Amino acid sequence: MSRESLGKNSKIMGGRERKEVNSTAKHFVDFTEAEEDLVFRMHRLVGNRWELIAGRIPGRTAEEVEMFWAKRHQDQ
């Protein structure tokens, strides 16, 4: 994938394109199954400490983790 084909707020990490997210973004950020598992296990241990959880997932921000959590629990 060339730099020119990426969007303005995109970057390539781990061979896949990942969009940067801000706190007002409405779209959902895809997490791998391993990342989802880690978020759920960490949340059980530390609660809503998104910075701490994100620190255990390379390339993820606290905002992405919190948005993932909110989206997952909005559907339930």
Side-chain angles (χ1 to χ4, degrees):
M1 183 173 287
S2 71
R3 272 271 186 233
E4 294 78 33
S5 67
L6 292 175
K8 179 177 143 189
N9 294 325
S10 299
K11 42 179 140 165
I12 296 178
M13 297 192 134
R16 65 178 195 214
E17 180 183 354
R18 181 179 299 172
K19 302 268 184 196
E20 288 184 19
V21 178
N22 63 37
S23 61
T24 61
K26 299 289 184 204
H27 66 281
F28 182 65
V29 178
D30 289 326
F31 274 56
T32 66
E33 191 173 319
E35 288 173 327
E36 288 184 25
D37 182 56
L38 184 55
V39 170
F40 281 99
R41 288 187 294 122
M42 289 291 297
H43 188 269
R44 250 183 277 137
L45 293 171
V46 301
N48 293 345
R49 297 176 65 193
W50 307 121
E51 289 280 339
L52 185 63
I53 296 171
R56 300 285 187 221
I57 307 173
R60 295 293 186 186
T61 66
E63 290 81 17
E64 287 176 317
V65 173
E66 185 175 6
M67 281 179 34
F68 163 78
W69 186 263
K71 178 67 176 171
R72 269 302 246 229
H73 286 85
Q74 169 186 350
D75 296 336
Q76 292 179 355

Short mmCIF file of all heavy atoms in Angstrom, two decimals, residues 5 8 10-11 21 25-26 32-33 41 47-48 52 54 61 65 70 75-76:
data_model
loop_
_atom_site.label_atom_id
_atom_site.label_comp_id
_atom_site.label_asym_id
_atom_site.label_seq_id
_atom_site.Cartn_x
_atom_site.Cartn_y
_atom_site.Cartn_z
N SER A 5 -1.99 6.33 -1.33
CA SER A 5 -3.33 5.74 -1.28
C SER A 5 -3.94 5.78 0.12
O SER A 5 -5.10 5.49 0.30
CB SER A 5 -3.29 4.29 -1.77
OG SER A 5 -2.55 3.49 -0.88
N LYS A 8 -5.61 10.86 4.90
CA LYS A 8 -4.85 11.86 5.66
C LYS A 8 -4.57 11.40 7.08
O LYS A 8 -3.49 11.63 7.61
CB LYS A 8 -5.63 13.16 5.66
CG LYS A 8 -4.97 14.29 6.41
CD LYS A 8 -5.82 15.55 6.29
CE LYS A 8 -5.78 16.31 7.58
NZ LYS A 8 -6.70 17.41 7.61
N SER A 10 -4.41 8.26 8.31
CA SER A 10 -4.15 6.83 8.33
C SER A 10 -2.67 6.57 8.53
O SER A 10 -1.83 7.39 8.22
CB SER A 10 -4.58 6.18 7.02
OG SER A 10 -5.94 6.35 6.81
N LYS A 11 -2.37 5.38 9.03
CA LYS A 11 -1.00 4.92 9.09
C LYS A 11 -1.00 3.41 8.96
O LYS A 11 -2.00 2.76 9.20
CB LYS A 11 -0.28 5.36 10.34
CG LYS A 11 -1.02 5.29 11.63
CD LYS A 11 -0.14 5.75 12.76
CE LYS A 11 -0.90 6.58 13.74
NZ LYS A 11 -0.28 6.79 14.98
N VAL A 21 -7.94 7.93 15.37
CA VAL A 21 -9.27 8.19 15.91
C VAL A 21 -9.18 9.33 16.91
O VAL A 21 -8.26 9.39 17.70
CB VAL A 21 -9.82 6.93 16.62
CG1 VAL A 21 -11.17 7.20 17.23
CG2 VAL A 21 -9.87 5.77 15.66
N ALA A 25 -14.90 10.91 17.00
CA ALA A 25 -15.13 10.02 15.85
C ALA A 25 -16.33 9.13 16.10
O ALA A 25 -16.52 8.63 17.20
CB ALA A 25 -13.89 9.19 15.58
N LYS A 26 -17.09 8.87 15.07
CA LYS A 26 -18.29 8.04 15.19
C LYS A 26 -18.04 6.61 14.72
O LYS A 26 -18.85 5.74 14.96
CB LYS A 26 -19.43 8.64 14.35
CG LYS A 26 -19.83 10.01 14.79
CD LYS A 26 -20.53 9.98 16.12
CE LYS A 26 -21.01 11.38 16.47
NZ LYS A 26 -21.19 11.61 17.85
N THR A 32 -8.21 -6.76 17.14
CA THR A 32 -8.02 -8.18 16.89
C THR A 32 -8.64 -8.96 18.03
O THR A 32 -8.95 -8.41 19.10
CB THR A 32 -6.52 -8.53 16.81
OG1 THR A 32 -5.93 -8.31 18.09
CG2 THR A 32 -5.81 -7.72 15.74
N GLU A 33 -8.82 -10.26 17.84
CA GLU A 33 -9.38 -11.10 18.89
C GLU A 33 -8.50 -11.08 20.14
O GLU A 33 -9.00 -11.02 21.26
CB GLU A 33 -9.54 -12.52 18.37
CG GLU A 33 -10.36 -13.40 19.28
CD GLU A 33 -10.65 -14.76 18.65
OE1 GLU A 33 -10.93 -14.81 17.45
OE2 GLU A 33 -10.59 -15.75 19.40
N ARG A 41 -10.02 -8.77 29.87
CA ARG A 41 -9.33 -9.25 31.07
C ARG A 41 -8.79 -8.10 31.90
O ARG A 41 -8.93 -8.10 33.13
CB ARG A 41 -8.21 -10.21 30.69
CG ARG A 41 -8.75 -11.55 30.21
CD ARG A 41 -7.68 -12.60 29.96
NE ARG A 41 -6.81 -12.23 28.86
CZ ARG A 41 -5.48 -12.09 28.96
NH1 ARG A 41 -4.86 -12.32 30.08
NH2 ARG A 41 -4.76 -11.75 27.91
N GLY A 47 -10.71 -1.97 35.92
CA GLY A 47 -11.86 -1.10 35.67
C GLY A 47 -11.64 -0.18 34.48
O GLY A 47 -10.95 -0.53 33.53
N ASN A 48 -12.20 1.01 34.55
CA ASN A 48 -12.18 1.97 33.43
C ASN A 48 -10.89 2.79 33.36
O ASN A 48 -10.92 3.96 32.99
CB ASN A 48 -13.36 2.93 33.54
CG ASN A 48 -14.68 2.24 33.35
OD1 ASN A 48 -14.74 1.12 32.87
ND2 ASN A 48 -15.75 2.90 33.73
N LEU A 52 -4.13 2.81 31.30
CA LEU A 52 -3.41 1.63 31.77
C LEU A 52 -3.64 0.45 30.83
O LEU A 52 -2.70 -0.27 30.48
CB LEU A 52 -3.87 1.29 33.19
CG LEU A 52 -3.14 0.15 33.88
CD1 LEU A 52 -1.67 0.48 34.07
CD2 LEU A 52 -3.78 -0.11 35.24
N ALA A 54 -4.59 0.60 27.61
CA ALA A 54 -3.97 0.91 26.32
C ALA A 54 -2.45 0.73 26.37
O ALA A 54 -1.84 0.35 25.37
CB ALA A 54 -4.32 2.32 25.89
N THR A 61 -4.44 3.67 21.59
CA THR A 61 -4.56 4.80 22.51
C THR A 61 -5.69 4.53 23.50
O THR A 61 -6.55 3.66 23.27
CB THR A 61 -4.89 6.10 21.76
OG1 THR A 61 -6.19 5.96 21.18
CG2 THR A 61 -3.86 6.41 20.68
N VAL A 65 -9.35 2.42 22.99
CA VAL A 65 -9.79 1.36 23.89
C VAL A 65 -11.14 1.73 24.50
O VAL A 65 -12.06 0.90 24.56
CB VAL A 65 -8.74 1.10 25.00
CG1 VAL A 65 -9.28 0.13 26.03
CG2 VAL A 65 -7.44 0.59 24.39
N ALA A 70 -17.02 1.11 24.85
CA ALA A 70 -18.35 1.73 24.81
C ALA A 70 -19.20 1.13 23.69
O ALA A 70 -20.38 0.83 23.89
CB ALA A 70 -18.21 3.23 24.62
N ASP A 75 -24.20 -2.22 22.42
CA ASP A 75 -25.00 -3.21 21.69
C ASP A 75 -25.67 -4.22 22.60
O ASP A 75 -26.54 -4.95 22.19
CB ASP A 75 -24.12 -3.96 20.68
CG ASP A 75 -23.58 -3.02 19.61
OD1 ASP A 75 -24.20 -1.97 19.37
OD2 ASP A 75 -22.54 -3.36 19.01
N GLN A 76 -25.27 -4.29 23.85
CA GLN A 76 -25.82 -5.32 24.77
C GLN A 76 -27.07 -4.86 25.46
O GLN A 76 -27.39 -3.81 25.68
CB GLN A 76 -24.78 -5.70 25.81
CG GLN A 76 -23.62 -6.41 25.18
CD GLN A 76 -22.54 -6.78 26.19
OE1 GLN A 76 -22.63 -6.42 27.36
NE2 GLN A 76 -21.54 -7.48 25.74
#
